[in-house]
Every structure is written in C-alpha cells, then in structure tokens.
C-alpha cells in the first residue's frame, strides 16, 4: 500500500522498521501514500487495541520536497513536520557518504 525505498539497486524495498514500541515508516512523498499510511495506522491501532500517539509522531521528508507539499502530507497523517532527525533510536537516520 506504500511505496517504500531501496537502499541500493539490488536491495529489497523497505517500507517499515519496527523497534519495540517505535516504528519507522518509509514512503514516497505523495498524497496517496500518506493516506495509505493513515489507514494502516488506524488498522494497526484497532488490531492491537493500542492508540497511536500522534503528538509524539513526526514526519521527516527529503529536503528536495516543496514546503507546501510537506505541510499537506503532515496534515493528512496528522503529525508534526520536522526538518531532520539527527538521531533516531541511537542510529543516524540521515547519512552522508564518508570516505
């Protein structure tokens, strides 16, 4: 239901990573993907009888995405928009190539 991303040409598509009670979801910056994520979170909450805390949830997008689109996507999912996660789960979430 969501596009996900590939780390390299031959790698599998990654749509999510689950760590205990922390979840990372990956998709393209489209309205349909964000609507799918919202529906999936609703189904997830009902199936596990848990509430998703949207006040603690954030949306991080590529710097190449237009600000207007970023705000629209954050509103669809119902989360705050952040520029960048420096570290998530003690791992660097946005990496640059270092030689």
């Amino acid at each position: 239901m969501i596009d996900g991303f590939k780390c390299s040409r031959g790698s599998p598509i990654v749509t999510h990573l689950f760590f205990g009670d922390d979840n990372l979801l990956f998709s393209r910056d489209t309205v349909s993907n964000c609507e799918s994520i919202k529906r999936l979170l609703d189904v997830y909450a009902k199936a596990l009888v848990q509430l998703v805390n949207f006040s603690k949830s954030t949306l991080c997008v590529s710097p190449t995405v237009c600000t207007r689109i970023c705000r629209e996507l954050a509103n669809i999912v119902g989360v705050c928009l952040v520029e960048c996660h420096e570290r998530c789960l003690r791992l660097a979430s946005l990496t640059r190539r270092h030689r």
Side-chain angles (χ1 to χ4, degrees):
M1 295 178 79
I2 56 177
D3 292 329
F5 79 98
K6 285 185 163 194
C7 294
S8 65
R9 204 172 294 170
S11 69
I13 295 172
V14 177
T15 57
H16 60 279
L17 296 173
F18 294 151
F19 298 96
D21 61 353
D22 292 320
N23 304 315
L24 301 174
L25 304 173
F26 305 97
S27 75
R28 294 187 187 273
D29 57 342
T30 65
V31 169
S32 64
N33 272 312
C34 284
E35 288 170 344
S36 292
I37 287 173
K38 181 66 173 168
R39 283 192 305 274
L40 288 169
L41 290 174
D42 291 340
V43 169
Y44 173 85
K46 287 178 186 174
L48 297 178
V49 192
Q50 292 180 337
L51 296 175
V52 176
N53 190 341
F54 289 103
S55 65
K56 287 184 176 179
S57 302
T58 58
L59 175 71
C60 180
V61 297
S62 168
T64 60
V65 179
C66 164
T67 305
R68 180 187 57 79
I69 293 172
C70 293
R71 282 192 224 116
E72 181 182 355
L73 299 177
N75 286 334
I76 289 169
V77 181
V79 297
C80 293
L81 179 65
V82 295
E83 279 192 33
C84 173
H85 292 290
E86 290 299 319
R87 293 182 97 46
C88 183
L89 305 170
R90 297 188 188 120
L91 302 170
S93 57
L94 298 176
T95 59
R96 294 179 183 86
R97 288 186 179 212
H98 296 286
R99 295 183 187 258

